[in-house]
Amino acid sequence: MADHSLTRKSPSVSTTGMRRILPVDMVERGRCPFDPPPGLRGEGAVRPLDLLNGARAWLVTGFEEARTVLSDARFSADKVRHRDATSPQPHKPAEMEAAVAEREDGLFVFMDPPEHTRLRRLLTGQFTVRRMRELESRVTEIAVEHIEAMRAAGTEADLVPAFALPLPSLVICELLGVDHADRAQFQARTAVGLNANSTPEEQAAARAELYAFMRRLVAGKRSNPADDLLSGLIHAAHPPLTDAQLVDVALVLLNAGHETTANMLGLGTFALLEHPDQLATLRADPGLIDNTVEELLRFLSIIQLGVSRVTTAPVTLGGVDIPAGATVVIATPEVNRDPRHWPDPDAFDLRRSRTPHLAFGHGVHQCLGQQLARIEMRAGLGELMSRLPNLRLAVPAEQVPVRDEMLIFGVRSLPVTWS
Ligand code: HEM
């Protein structure tokens, strides 16, 4: 029987589409590049949010309320099936309706239990302690190689293309088992999607090429399995996953793990350089690196408004009535600075006691790659600070361009110098 799974088009959900319908003060920064946008600040843990497309959503800025949204089954992650006010395509065509009646895609990030549970369990089984330990030494090697290449080239660099973007991209190559010979091609395509100057046509072409790349990768792993996540998934799943599901899973991992970690490395370095007292504390006691990583995740909360759900029933949240079918958006930067949860929440303090934050989400969709993300931040930032002891900005802080145009916050470039 012919395998049609490779030609079937998976339903896609665009989160960047949401950026276009958010009020400007919800995404644009005030004067400080590290504080939440002014529009997120304000009264009430839950409040209505009027989107530019005329739809109404609800914004959650309270820590406990956000935890409820992320752990209560009345808040659905299934934006493929539900009509979501933030979707660029709120009325789905009939063929899409038919395709999602029985979901056959691998976009588990947009699924609810029990559909989500099966794929999530298969994936969790691949994020083993052994694989993470092996990856940790590779992550350190990759970080060191890139820092040494920067040093060999002079005393100035743009940290984003030289370090922050390639590190997580290569780590995903390791995880998925992309051949060394194909990595430059893989990185070039992922970079187009992350470049704010790419045209929509260039982005669409890069997406199509990446999809074709992943199809070839999956086909290769089927015929030639190795010790990597994709090969493991192919052999662990009963009934087996289709090639289209495997491609979706690979793309989910790439999308979830690349831009996020890259921005935490770029913006995290910027935040450390702009808080010299904290940087001096870390340099004096490198054992504080784990605390530093957690405090950066809390303080910067780069996934600004990217975590959202749709209500499947009327709900009262934080004293506010929300109807069924409503989009509920988590304002992570505010949630992670809720004064009811942290004393002095706007202070960047790497000696802060380890109160859990929501930078990796919560509940069944809580970040699958958080252990890996922590390894990358620990190795990346730790090696940067120890190998470039004199690291500093090469331009005034106000000239560092931030990424207001993307849903995930960060810096577009970070000119640094050392001696
Ligand atoms: C510092 C970097 C990262 C941050 C801040 C981050 C943040 C998050 C958040 C907030 C969620 C929850 C989304 C939701 O509930 O709707 C999530 C989910 C996810 N993350 Fe991460 N992430 C990071 C790095 C990574 C890495 C390195 C990977 C893997 C290579 C990864 C893979 C995933 C996956 C697969 C999900 C979906 C899990 C599910 O739906 O069950 N993430 N991440």
Side-chain angles (χ1 to χ4, degrees):
M1 199 175 76
D3 177 10
H4 294 292
S5 56
L6 281 180
T7 50
R8 186 183 60 79
K9 201 174 165 307
S10 297
S12 66
V13 178
S14 160
T15 47
T16 49
M18 187 175 159
R19 166 66 181 82
R20 280 179 240 119
I21 54 171
L22 287 166
V24 169
D25 65 348
M26 293 272 163
V27 279
E28 281 186 0
R29 299 274 128 180
R31 282 191 318 118
C32 176
F34 312 121
D35 285 343
L40 291 188
R41 315 225 85 166
E43 293 303 304
V46 180
R47 57 189 143 115
L49 164 65
D50 290 322
L51 301 171
L52 300 183
N53 64 1
R56 166 157 283 197
W58 272 261
L59 189 72
V60 179
T61 57
F63 186 90
E64 283 309 329
E65 292 76 6
R67 279 221 315 196
T68 302
V69 171
L70 297 176
S71 54
D72 183 323
R74 291 172 299 172
F75 296 89
S76 166
D78 190 344
K79 293 177 204 161
V80 174
R81 212 172 252 135
H82 293 290
R83 294 191 194 287
D84 172 18
T86 64
S87 164
Q89 191 190 17
H91 296 286
K92 299 182 182 77
E95 76 218 43
M96 177 77 89
E97 299 285 2
V100 300
E102 184 79 17
R103 283 191 61 174
E104 295 165 354
D105 58 279
L107 300 173
F108 62 103
V109 63
F110 300 121
M111 287 178 185
D112 292 328
E115 283 167 332
H116 169 262
T117 318
R118 176 179 178 237
L119 281 167
R120 171 89 188 197
R121 277 206 191 123
L122 281 170
L123 260 298
T124 312
Q126 296 303 316
F127 278 74
T128 56
V129 175
R130 177 187 65 84
R131 184 165 282 146
M132 289 306 117
R133 205 173 291 136
E134 284 169 7
L135 271 176
E136 181 150 19
S137 45
R138 267 305 287 146
V139 172
T140 308
E141 277 169 29
I142 294 169
V144 172
E145 274 163 25
H146 282 76
I147 297 168
E148 291 308 321
M150 278 163 48
R151 272 168 33 128
T155 54
E156 256 190 60
D158 180 349
L159 202 77
V160 172
F163 185 75
L165 277 175
L167 184 124
S169 158
L170 286 172
V171 172
I172 288 168
C173 287
E174 295 280 337
L175 188 69
L176 297 178
V178 175
D179 277 348
H180 282 263
D182 294 334
R183 291 188 180 184
Q185 200 189 21
F186 177 84
Q187 288 191 288
R189 278 165 196 159
T190 54
V192 177
L194 299 186
N195 182 351
N197 298 323
S198 314
T199 63
E201 293 74 30
E202 283 166 342
Q203 298 216 359
R207 266 200 307 276
E209 283 171 15
L210 209 50
Y211 194 85
F213 183 97
M214 292 299 193
R215 280 169 45 170
R216 285 195 300 278
L217 185 67
V218 165
K221 298 293 169 195
R222 274 210 195 279
S223 52
N224 217 351
D227 182 12
D228 54 55
L229 182 143
L230 275 181
S231 305
L233 275 182
I234 290 170
H235 295 284
H238 305 289
L241 298 179
T242 63
D243 284 3
Q245 283 173 317
L246 288 162
V247 168
D248 282 347
V249 166
L251 288 170
V252 165
L253 288 171
L254 171 66
N255 288 326
H258 185 200
E259 199 179 347
T260 45
T261 316
N263 281 299
M264 277 311 302
L265 288 172
L267 191 65
T269 305
F270 185 23
L272 278 171
L273 297 180
E274 280 302 287
H275 292 84
D277 55 327
Q278 298 295 310
L279 181 55
T281 305
L282 174 63
R283 286 199 196 282
D285 181 1
L288 282 171
I289 188 71
D290 287 337
N291 263 55
T292 305
V293 166
E294 294 313 309
E295 178 63 348
L296 283 170
L297 285 160
R298 179 198 76 84
F299 184 67
L300 298 171
S301 300
I302 50 150
I303 305 189
Q304 310 262 286
L305 297 165
V307 177
S308 64
R309 298 289 187 265
V310 182
T311 51
T312 57
V315 191
T316 304
L317 183 71
V320 175
D321 292 330
I322 304 177
T327 295
V328 177
V329 180
I330 310 280
T332 316
E334 275 300 284
V335 163
N336 276 337
R337 296 196 187 194
D338 184 340
R340 295 174 300 171
H341 201 71
W342 285 279
D344 199 8
D346 288 331
F348 175 54
D349 176 5
L350 51 85
R351 287 192 182 276
R352 189 184 283 284
S353 74
R354 290 267 206 103
T355 310
H357 54 71
L358 293 189
F360 288 125
H362 177 69
V364 294
H365 288 279
Q366 184 173 145
C367 182
L368 184 67
Q370 59 185 284
Q371 199 189 340
L372 186 54
R374 287 186 168 109
I375 290 172
E376 292 182 60
M377 287 180 65
R378 198 162 57 217
L381 295 172
E383 293 295 336
L384 262 188
M385 297 310 155
S386 66
R387 285 175 187 265
L388 302 173
N390 211 353
L391 187 69
R392 56 199 184 277
L393 289 180
V395 296
E398 317 74 74
Q399 286 175 24
V400 172
V402 296
R403 295 163 33 117
D404 273 342
E405 74 288 343
M406 314 291 258
L407 203 55
I408 298 180
F409 185 62
V411 287
R412 292 169 65 182
S413 77
L414 190 69
V416 288
T417 183
W418 59 90
S419 48

